[in-house]
């Protein structure tokens, strides 16, 4: 299950509501993030076992970029209802088609390295999920990051598998540093593996109203009145993330385990993290541009992105972000790249939504 939603506002002006980051080539290859995610799963699932949950605005682009995925496996949300509704919808449709299915959930916009290790750990997670556990794939933290949720490790339940004592959301800098020093916490990377029926049972326990709505939608999936039922129910579903809506409560009840992962991983949260995730040139610069001539002189440790074909010249700067698009130009220090979201908020407030 690939979740292909969101607008990636912290990667503005490249990522837009109508053309979000997962549709862009940001991995240093000729594949978009969405295509790279699907390719990563080729050894784990046949194309007809891959499902994508996306929005109305992106459904056509998703289908074009993933022609190998059956049309019936692209599930289109009428409107965003956050990750729990999206995951529950796909889990219910999959369970209707295969009641014994084990499902792995991935985001369409993450970068992951060490493919063989990734496959090995997903298979380990699938084995753990086969016993009815809800499994997270936790990432070994490499810095005291305040923007991620954390998983508190408890006892080992099998080789390479640990019980999760609790989810801890976005701590302060000092708490994050303490977590890193303790060695008892993993980053919550938003990758989950579970039996579809086990997840739906936990959804029933914690969110029975949402489960009832999802069940009604799934039951009508192949009926002529499906669109009517879908539209009538979907907007009334609770809007909540899977972490808050199911996984926190499941962890508190002892139903969640994790497979600690040591492969490279990034959610590409902003242009600074994009620069950290890709190999730079001899001066530490990451350049993603279709300009046909060299554009940097005396520039170090910077991120330069262009989609226009124009020459983008940067001279004598260090640790900057430069992003050039047809209707907007971004220039900022790398250590303030996270503030780009505030620019987007300002554009909205000033009636300039056409630029976002």
């Amino acid at each position: 299950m690939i979740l292909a939603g969101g607008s990636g506002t912290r990667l503005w002006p490249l990522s837009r509501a109508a053309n979000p980051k997962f549709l862009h080539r940001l991995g240093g290859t000729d594949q978009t993030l969405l295509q790279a995610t699907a390719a990563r799963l080729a050894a784990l699932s046949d194309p007809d076992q891959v499902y994508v949950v996306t929005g109305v605005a992106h459904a056509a682009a998703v289908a074009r970029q993933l022609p190998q995925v059956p049309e019936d496996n692209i599930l289109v949300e009428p409107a965003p209802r956050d990750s729990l509704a999206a995951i529950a919808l796909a889990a219910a449709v999959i369970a209707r088609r295969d009641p014994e299915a084990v499902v792995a959930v991935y985001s369409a916009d993450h970068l992951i390295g060490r493919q063989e290790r990734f496959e090995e750990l997903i298979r380990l997670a699938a084995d753990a999920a086969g016993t009815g556990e809800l499994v997270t794939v936790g990432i070994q933290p490499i810095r005291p990051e305040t923007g991620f949720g954390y998983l508190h490790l408890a006892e080992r339940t099998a080789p390479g598998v640990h019980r999760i004592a609790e989810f801890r959301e976005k701590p302060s800098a000092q708490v994050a540093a303490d977590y890193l020093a303790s060695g008892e916490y993993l980053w919550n990377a938003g990758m989950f593996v579970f039996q579809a029926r086990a997840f739906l049972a936990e959804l029933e326990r914690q969110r029975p109203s949402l489960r009832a709505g999802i069940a009604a939608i799934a039951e009508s999936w192949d009926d002529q009145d499906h669109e009517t039922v879908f539209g009538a129910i979907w907007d009334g579903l609770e809007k909540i993330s899977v972490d808050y809506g199911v996984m926190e409560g499941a962890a508190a009840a002892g139903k969640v385990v994790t497979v600690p992962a040591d492969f490279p991983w990034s959610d590409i949260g902003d242009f600074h993290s994009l620069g950290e995730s890709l190999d730079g040139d001899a001066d530490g610069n990451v350049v993603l541009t279709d300009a046909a001539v060299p554009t940097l002189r005396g520039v170090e440790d910077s991120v330069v992105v262009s989609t226009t074909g124009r020459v983008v010249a940067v001279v004598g700067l260090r640790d900057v972000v430069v992003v050039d698009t047809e209707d907007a130009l971004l220039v900022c220090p790398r250590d303030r790249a996270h503030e780009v979201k505030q620019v987007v908020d300002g554009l909205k407030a000033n009636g300039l939504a056409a630029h976002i």
Side-chain angles (χ1 to χ4, degrees):
M1 183 195 307
I2 301 174
L3 303 181
S7 57
T9 53
R10 287 179 293 174
L11 286 172
W12 180 91
L14 181 69
S15 182
R16 308 290 183 99
N19 194 23
K21 64 178 179 176
F22 61 82
L23 297 175
H24 290 276
R25 295 189 297 272
L26 289 176
T29 72
D30 61 356
Q31 291 181 316
T32 66
L33 294 177
L34 173 64
Q35 290 170 328
T37 300
R40 192 178 302 128
L41 311 180
L44 297 167
S45 298
D46 294 333
D48 63 357
Q49 294 178 314
V50 174
Y51 286 73
V52 183
V53 186
T54 193
V56 174
H58 311 134
V62 166
R64 284 195 302 270
Q65 291 198 6
L66 300 180
Q68 73 276 24
V69 174
E71 181 180 352
D72 287 347
N73 289 12
I74 298 177
L75 312 184
V76 182
E77 302 174 293
R81 301 306 298 168
D82 216 322
S83 60
L84 180 53
I87 291 172
L89 171 64
V93 171
I94 292 168
R96 179 178 171 87
R97 297 174 180 176
D98 179 4
E100 304 301 316
V102 172
V103 182
V105 180
Y106 310 94
S107 294
D109 55 3
H110 291 180
L111 287 176
I112 291 175
R114 295 183 62 195
Q115 176 69 22
E116 291 184 1
R117 182 62 171 160
F118 166 78
E119 293 172 10
E120 177 185 351
L121 292 178
I122 292 299
R123 290 190 175 101
L124 179 61
D127 289 342
T131 67
E133 305 275 19
L134 304 182
V135 187
T136 70
V137 179
I139 301 296
Q140 296 284 357
I142 58 175
R143 61 181 181 275
E145 174 62 57
T146 61
F148 296 154
Y150 285 72
L151 310 172
H152 190 183
L153 292 169
E155 75 277 6
R156 193 177 76 163
T157 61
V161 182
H162 288 257
R163 185 75 55 196
I164 288 297
E166 60 182 332
F167 277 63
R168 304 292 292 271
E169 281 301 312
K170 299 180 176 60
S172 67
Q174 182 56 58
V175 172
D178 292 342
Y179 287 173
L180 181 64
S182 75
E184 296 179 359
Y185 291 82
L186 303 175
W187 284 339
N188 174 24
M191 284 183 279
F192 307 102
V193 186
F194 47 71
Q195 291 177 345
R197 66 178 182 223
F199 178 84
L200 294 171
E202 186 61 16
L203 180 65
E204 172 70 30
R205 185 179 77 87
Q206 295 192 52
R207 295 284 190 280
S209 178
L210 195 154
R211 174 64 181 114
I214 290 292
I217 292 171
E219 286 169 8
S220 72
W221 199 257
D222 298 316
D223 297 343
Q224 289 185 346
D225 64 347
H226 162 65
E227 294 296 336
T228 301
V229 174
F230 201 174
I233 294 175
W234 186 258
D235 285 348
L237 297 179
E238 183 179 10
K239 190 173 184 178
I240 189 171
S241 74
V242 68
D243 303 310
Y244 287 119
V246 165
M247 300 305 292
E248 283 190 354
K255 298 181 178 183
V256 180
V257 299
T258 189
V259 172
D262 52 3
F263 47 71
W265 169 87
S266 173
D267 71 341
I268 322 180
D270 55 33
F271 285 109
H272 175 69
S273 63
L274 175 64
E276 289 186 319
S277 303
L278 300 179
D279 294 332
D281 62 18
D283 295 313
N285 300 307
V286 170
V287 180
L288 300 176
T289 174
D290 50 12
V293 298
T295 58
L296 309 184
R297 294 291 184 270
V299 178
E300 298 179 8
D301 300 324
S302 295
V303 178
V304 179
V305 180
S306 173
T307 62
T308 65
R310 286 191 291 258
V311 173
V312 178
V314 185
V315 179
L317 296 179
R318 179 175 184 150
D319 292 320
V320 298
V321 172
V322 179
V323 183
D324 183 41
T325 68
E326 289 293 343
D327 66 340
L329 172 67
L330 168 70
V331 182
C332 70
R334 278 186 62 167
D335 63 2
R336 299 186 65 176
H338 62 283
E339 296 179 33
V340 169
K341 188 177 185 300
Q342 297 172 23
V343 175
V344 175
D345 293 340
L347 290 171
K348 289 179 182 177
N350 289 309
L352 298 172
H355 295 285
I356 58 176

